[in-house]
Amino acid sequence: QVQLVESGGGLVQAGGSLRLSCAASGRTFRGYVMGWFRQAPGKEREFVTDITWGGGRTSYADSVKGRFTISRDNAKNTVSLQMNSLKPDDTAVYYCAARPAFNYEYNYWGQGTQVTVSS
């Protein structure tokens, strides 16, 4: 059974930092792209960032560029999201996701972790 389990969410003041982690299990994720998405109350889920298997390519939403950094440890099957200079607009449920590199759609999702940034 494939599982993606996020952790590290919480409440932080604006300007602060949080580090989210996602532990993947249940299959090999070799060759998979790992990504982070978020969904704020009343809004659609949006792409935040993703990273290729080897870590050689990352992409970021414009809203988080320069503030968020994605990384992965393939030996541990984990992917992390370092979030700095957080803003109230970053408040959302953050989801970890995985897809084969040749797919456009993500087919594995975590249950999400809440991030709340107070002003």
Side-chain angles (χ1 to χ4, degrees):
Q1 179 182 1
V2 174
Q3 280 193 312
L4 300 179
V5 180
E6 303 95 335
S7 60
L11 174 64
V12 64
Q13 288 189 331
S17 298
L18 278 177
R19 185 175 181 87
L20 305 184
S21 294
C22 173
S25 63
R27 63 156 297 138
T28 177
F29 286 90
R30 185 175 186 83
Y32 272 61
V33 174
M34 302 295 294
W36 288 94
F37 290 75
R38 68 185 181 185
Q39 187 167 20
K43 296 186 177 181
E44 293 188 354
R45 186 167 58 194
E46 64 176 1
F47 170 81
V48 176
T49 179
D50 65 14
I51 186 168
T52 53
W53 163 256
R57 186 192 69 80
T58 58
S59 58
Y60 295 90
D62 287 344
S63 58
V64 306
K65 278 181 183 176
R67 301 188 298 121
F68 290 12
T69 303
I70 189 172
S71 60
R72 67 189 292 172
D73 183 337
N74 292 329
K76 296 181 179 179
N77 262 2
T78 59
V79 60
S80 298
L81 180 62
Q82 178 66 42
M83 306 186 294
N84 299 328
S85 302
L86 283 161
K87 306 174 182 180
D89 283 350
D90 295 318
T91 295
V93 177
Y94 283 71
Y95 298 90
C96 175
R99 65 172 174 86
F102 50 82
N103 276 6
Y104 288 107
E105 292 188 2
Y106 285 81
N107 51 338
Y108 297 119
W109 293 86
Q111 82 289 349
T113 186
Q114 177 70 48
V115 170
T116 303
V117 184
S118 63
S119 57

